[in-house]
Amino acid sequence: MKCLMEAWNRTESSLYHWLLKQTHNQHELEDIVQEVFLKAMSHSERFCTLNDGKSWLFKVAKNHFIDTVRRRIERAELDELTSNQQLPSPVVQLQKCLPKVLVKLDHHDRDIIESCDLNGMLQSEYAQKNQLSLPAVKSRLRRARMVLKQQLVRECKVSQDQSGVCCFKTVEVSSN
């Protein structure tokens, strides 16, 4: 328990600021911090055996944040479907498919896309944080985006027309 509290005291401030940057919402931030702390408390016996408690706390926070975003997307989809009684728009369809595809990407591709594209981190910040050159980050991000696009085409049936606008092909399911 002592190592958990020491790690928490060293990490709480930076965790708080990182989550504030991600959520832009004080209540959501406090909920996530509370969930992370409760999860850490429930694993307090094993916490002292970790090599890097700070990384573990950030990983748990990131996972809770992603879960929060997914729940928000699901609620928005449900609200849109019940209010319009229409098929979801391509943006909503993409929001539904993107989390499913992201988890299938390799760790490095997912991390750079989530950091730079979804969370708005500057490529120069990502380079500094990960001890990479800016050209290396640009190259990795371009490659990760291409892999993501391939996954979206395969998994979500995303296609593009001449104007570059993406759309979803309707996939009919046979009832045989």
Side-chain angles (χ1 to χ4, degrees), residues 71-86 88 92:
R71 281 192 299 273
R72 190 180 322 134
I73 290 169
E74 289 169 1
R75 278 194 308 269
E77 287 174 358
L78 183 59
D79 291 346
E80 182 176 324
L81 285 173
T82 56
S83 66
N84 294 337
Q85 295 300 316
Q86 299 172 352
V92 173

Side-chain angles (χ1 to χ4, degrees), residues 116-149:
C116 296
D117 289 343
L118 300 179
N119 297 328
M121 180 183 282
L122 297 175
Q123 293 175 14
S124 57
E125 288 178 49
Y126 188 87
Q128 184 178 11
K129 177 184 169 197
N130 292 281
Q131 299 175 343
L132 298 167
S133 68
L134 185 56
V137 169
K138 290 180 181 289
S139 175
R140 288 179 186 195
L141 184 57
R142 183 175 179 274
R143 189 186 72 70
R145 286 172 177 162
M146 289 183 345
V147 170
L148 177 61
K149 180 181 177 183

Side-chain angles (χ1 to χ4, degrees), residues 134-170:
L134 185 56
V137 169
K138 290 180 181 289
S139 175
R140 288 179 186 195
L141 184 57
R142 183 175 179 274
R143 189 186 72 70
R145 286 172 177 162
M146 289 183 345
V147 170
L148 177 61
K149 180 181 177 183
Q150 291 170 350
Q151 287 286 86
L152 287 170
V153 167
R154 185 172 37 257
E155 303 275 332
C156 306
K157 309 300 183 222
V158 173
S159 64
Q160 293 179 295
D161 59 19
Q162 288 105 352
S163 66
V165 178
C166 74
C167 46
F168 292 81
K169 294 179 182 174
T170 305

Side-chain angles (χ1 to χ4, degrees), residues 15-98:
L15 187 65
Y16 180 90
H17 291 293
W18 180 81
L19 281 167
L20 183 59
K21 185 177 177 181
Q22 303 307 312
T23 63
H24 305 289
N25 181 314
Q26 186 69 30
H27 298 293
E28 195 171 73
L29 153 77
E30 290 170 358
D31 288 345
I32 294 171
V33 168
Q34 182 179 13
E35 289 296 323
V36 170
F37 184 74
L38 291 173
K39 184 158 189 165
M41 291 294 290
S42 70
H43 292 85
S44 62
E45 302 84 36
R46 291 183 284 168
F47 193 86
C48 294
T49 63
L50 296 173
N51 290 334
D52 188 1
K54 180 177 180 177
S55 293
W56 186 89
L57 289 168
F58 268 90
K59 182 178 181 179
V60 171
K62 178 182 171 186
N63 290 341
H64 277 287
F65 171 67
I66 290 169
D67 289 344
T68 301
V69 170
R70 284 182 182 149
R71 281 192 299 273
R72 190 180 322 134
I73 290 169
E74 289 169 1
R75 278 194 308 269
E77 287 174 358
L78 183 59
D79 291 346
E80 182 176 324
L81 285 173
T82 56
S83 66
N84 294 337
Q85 295 300 316
Q86 299 172 352
L87 291 174
S89 71
V91 173
V92 173
Q93 288 177 309
L94 184 61
Q95 287 176 332
K96 184 177 182 178
C97 185
L98 187 60

